Amino acid sequence: MSVPAHLNSSYRTSGPFLVTDVGQIIAEFRNEVLNLNVPAWTEPEPNEFRSPADAAGRFFTVCFSVVSATQLRMEVRDGRNFSMCYRQVQILAAGSIVEIFSGQFHMHMNVFMTPDTSNQEFLNAGILDESPMPLNYTPFHVYGHGSRQWTSGSIENNYFNYAYMGHNSGYLTRDRILDAEWAPYYCDGSPKFSPCMMWHYEPSPGIETFAGRMYQHFIGPKNANNQIVEIPIAPGVTGKFKQVISPGSNNYAFYVRVG
Amino acid sequence: MPKPSFLDGPFGYHAESGIYDVTDVITRIGVLLIAAGWTDITSDPNKPAYRCPPVGGSLGKKFDVEFQRYSAAAINLQVYDTLGRASGVRSMLISTTGVGSAMHYFYGPKHIVVACQTTDEVLFAAMLDPYPQAEDANIYGGQVMNGSRAVNGGTASYSPPTYIGMRAANDPSAIFSLSTNFVLWASRPLRTIKMDYMFWPYEFGYMTWWGGRFPHALICVPTTDLPRFMSFQAPLGDGTNGTFKPIIGGSSWQVALRVS
């Protein structure tokens, strides 16, 4: 039994590091995805980062823009150059701790508002593993999300299990992570980790279908942030995953691959 | 990739028609369970009882099923766990008029499912597959049962597949109850974006506790897409397909059992 497709892609971790200007985040992200990721991303326009295409030609693009020293915007586009979402994160004027997780098919950014830990923030985006369907089964395979509304900067729908995705006439955010409700433990009390499977939603006529799995992510029990756990990913093979900021649930959290 | 463990291992299927008395059903169940490796532990001739083959592990997990003829049309089922604690009694009705009943039996070392196509009622018991936990991980839980009706062919309520009888913890003090809360993920998508069928394990747990998967069963699209007992092919995860039949469920989803 081999490693499942959604865990068989590149991954890297950067940080945690202190940021006092969001321009530092863009610079660090650029270094990560252009210079350290294998395969490397590209930067077709300044501050516009495009993931490497997979075997089916799928990719996603994240475009950063600086609102102020403490406000960072991110637009996510799919391979057709359609926008999936516009989101924002903010850092504290005194500085915030940031971590960046990236790979050929995913990115996730933690922003720790220390010492005020009640308002942690995140940005994420990626493409989905659509198996058992073919990789190019549908154009709706790019997701993106973040803690804040694009223009006002207000906290909005910052639930970890929400994400923006496209549909036949636009894009929208909603609860998309399957199973992010119950049963994060086995009967002996040990944690249960599951692939992050996502819903697709077609608002007219309101049909929920299966979209795919997030690359290099699990969902698992939520406890103290930042713990790193070793999870079996195939017989005799384990991977290390770090719990990341996952607001909106008391039971579940995202875990992103770090080793 | 190999099959997931809940779809691996032995299983059987038998169908017959023209059944007018549940005595024949109980006799058939006994023959099939013995063939699947269960042991006859009957002490009361009016209540044939069987114990499942030993599971792995060293904790002595046990699972007994006991059937009783209440009338020509009504059959009762009660199960007993490792500690010998009894579940509630559930039942199903068959048709004893006209051409009699068409019966379907799905069985294996960890499950017995009896479905009457004529009355659209079922009776089942199973030990859940706890993979990746050890076989005997759920020694005080992880055993499910239900029937379409209350004892003695009574009220058709608390019926499967949404209601399941289970102990709500892996704990010697856990109480058996019938609840919808034990069925996990019943709202998973049953279609892909292109509307192809998707299938999921029939999984159980309670609150933060995950119990396991019903052996050789899948959740599938509702009767509007797959009529009851219509055979269909589903991928087994190893590149091959298995044949399943939907046996119970409604307008949202059904449970299907493996036939070949």
Side-chain angles (χ1 to χ4, degrees):
Chain A
M1 186 174 171
S2 54
V3 174
H6 66 98
L7 300 173
N8 198 12
S9 62
S10 66
Y11 56 89
R12 273 196 54 78
T13 307
S14 171
F17 49 89
L18 179 66
V19 170
T20 54
D21 186 314
V22 296
Q24 294 173 254
I25 297 176
I26 299 175
E28 182 63 24
F29 189 85
R30 176 181 292 110
N31 186 49
E32 274 293 305
V33 300
L34 299 188
N35 301 325
L36 300 175
N37 259 270
V38 179
W41 294 39
T42 56
E43 188 175 4
E45 301 286 340
N47 296 341
E48 179 181 310
F49 301 97
R50 179 168 298 169
S51 72
D54 69 5
R58 306 181 313 157
F59 61 88
F60 69 105
T61 304
V62 294
C63 310
F64 292 115
S65 53
V66 175
V67 183
S68 71
T70 59
Q71 296 175 287
L72 176 67
R73 282 176 174 167
M74 180 183 78
E75 177 192 359
V76 178
R77 298 183 196 144
D78 69 11
R80 303 167 300 175
N81 216 31
F82 291 175
S83 293
M84 294 294 106
C85 75
Y86 299 88
R87 301 299 288 175
Q88 187 184 130
V89 288
Q90 296 181 7
I91 64 169
L92 297 171
S96 293
I97 301 296
V98 172
E99 288 178 303
I100 297 172
F101 307 88
S102 60
Q104 62 193 113
F105 303 140
H106 74 284
M107 65 80 65
H108 184 103
M109 190 182 298
N110 279 339
V111 179
F112 296 98
M113 299 303 212
T114 50
D116 175 15
T117 57
S118 63
N119 190 26
Q120 321 275 25
E121 303 196 10
F122 71 97
L123 292 172
N124 66 18
I127 61 176
L128 299 176
D129 163 29
E130 300 178 71
S131 61
M133 294 84 75
L135 286 178
N136 56 358
Y137 185 76
T138 156
F140 305 120
H141 52 246
V142 173
Y143 68 90
H145 195 32
S147 296
R148 291 177 182 267
Q149 207 264 349
W150 167 267
T151 49
S152 70
S154 57
I155 292 284
E156 172 201 66
N157 291 332
N158 67 326
Y159 313 118
F160 90 102
N161 53 328
Y162 272 52
Y164 284 86
M165 286 185 73
H167 56 78
N168 277 330
S169 54
Y171 60 88
L172 57 79
T173 187
R174 71 190 303 268
D175 178 359
R176 292 196 188 272
I177 305 295
L178 278 67
D179 309 346
E181 296 168 3
W182 283 13
Y185 295 97
Y186 290 114
C187 57
D188 65 357
S190 59
K192 178 176 183 290
F193 298 97
S194 306
C196 295
M197 298 185 287
M198 276 194 171
W199 295 93
H200 172 78
Y201 181 66
E202 200 58 55
S204 178
I207 296 175
E208 293 175 319
T209 55
F210 179 75
R213 296 166 187 78
M214 294 168 71
Y215 283 93
Q216 301 296 3
H217 282 68
F218 276 106
I219 53 172
K222 186 172 190 173
N223 38 47
N225 263 344
N226 285 323
Q227 70 163 347
I228 293 176
V229 296
E230 204 156 331
I231 302 174
I233 59 176
V237 183
T238 59
K240 290 180 178 174
F241 292 79
K242 187 170 189 176
Q243 186 184 167
V244 295
I245 291 167
S246 304
S249 172
N250 292 323
N251 292 331
Y252 270 110
F254 277 145
Y255 287 75
V256 182
R257 186 85 177 266
V258 297
Chain B
M1 286 172 63
K3 299 181 188 75
S5 56
F6 76 98
L7 294 176
D8 209 356
F11 65 93
Y13 167 69
H14 179 79
E16 59 193 3
S17 57
I19 303 299
Y20 290 89
D21 192 308
V22 298
T23 300
D24 295 331
V25 175
I26 293 173
T27 301
R28 177 66 64 190
I29 291 169
V31 169
L32 298 175
L33 287 183
I34 295 297
W38 295 58
T39 304
D40 189 339
I41 56 167
T42 303
S43 57
D44 177 350
N46 294 319
K47 294 182 177 180
Y50 305 90
R51 174 164 296 166
C52 75
V55 301
S58 58
L59 299 179
K61 186 174 185 177
K62 294 175 187 168
F63 186 49
D64 300 340
V65 296
E66 182 180 83
F67 298 91
Q68 181 187 25
R69 180 187 186 276
Y70 173 72
S71 66
I75 177 172
N76 288 333
L77 167 67
Q78 193 165 26
V79 307
Y80 298 83
D81 72 0
T82 302
L83 298 181
R85 297 173 301 174
S87 69
V89 182
R90 298 291 291 172
S91 76
M92 70 180 286
L93 291 181
I94 70 166
S95 172
T96 60
T97 60
V99 296
S101 288
M103 304 299 299
H104 301 257
Y105 306 85
F106 309 83
Y107 60 97
K110 293 180 178 176
H111 73 293
I112 174 68
V113 179
V114 182
C116 177
Q117 185 166 357
T118 314
T119 58
D120 199 26
E121 298 198 7
V122 298
L123 204 58
F124 61 75
M127 280 203 303
L128 302 179
D129 172 28
Y131 181 84
Q133 295 275 279
E135 276 287 352
D136 59 0
N138 301 338
I139 190 166
Y140 303 120
Q143 299 168 335
V144 297
M145 65 87 71
N146 202 6
S148 296
R149 292 178 180 269
V151 61
N152 299 338
T155 311
S157 58
Y158 300 98
S159 302
T162 51
Y163 276 89
I164 281 293
M166 191 174 82
R167 295 185 191 276
N170 182 32
D171 182 326
S173 64
I175 303 300
F176 176 88
S177 58
L178 282 166
S179 173
T180 57
N181 292 333
F182 297 146
V183 181
L184 302 179
W185 336 133
S187 62
R188 279 175 166 175
L190 296 170
R191 297 276 198 173
T192 69
I193 291 172
K194 291 185 179 177
M195 305 309 285
D196 292 328
Y197 292 159
M198 293 202 76
F199 307 99
W200 300 98
Y202 192 23
E203 288 186 81
F204 304 89
Y206 182 63
M207 299 300 283
T208 61
W209 176 72
W210 184 84
R213 302 182 173 95
F214 200 108
H216 297 291
L218 293 175
I219 287 178
C220 69
V221 290
T223 48
T224 46
D225 301 281
L226 276 173
R228 196 86 85 214
F229 296 103
M230 173 181 277
S231 294
F232 66 89
Q233 299 271 302
L236 299 176
D238 64 348
T240 66
N241 286 333
T243 303
F244 294 77
K245 283 181 180 292
I247 60 146
I248 201 71
S251 57
S252 298
W253 54 278
Q254 299 183 90
V255 170
L257 269 293
R258 181 109 179 258
V259 299
S260 65

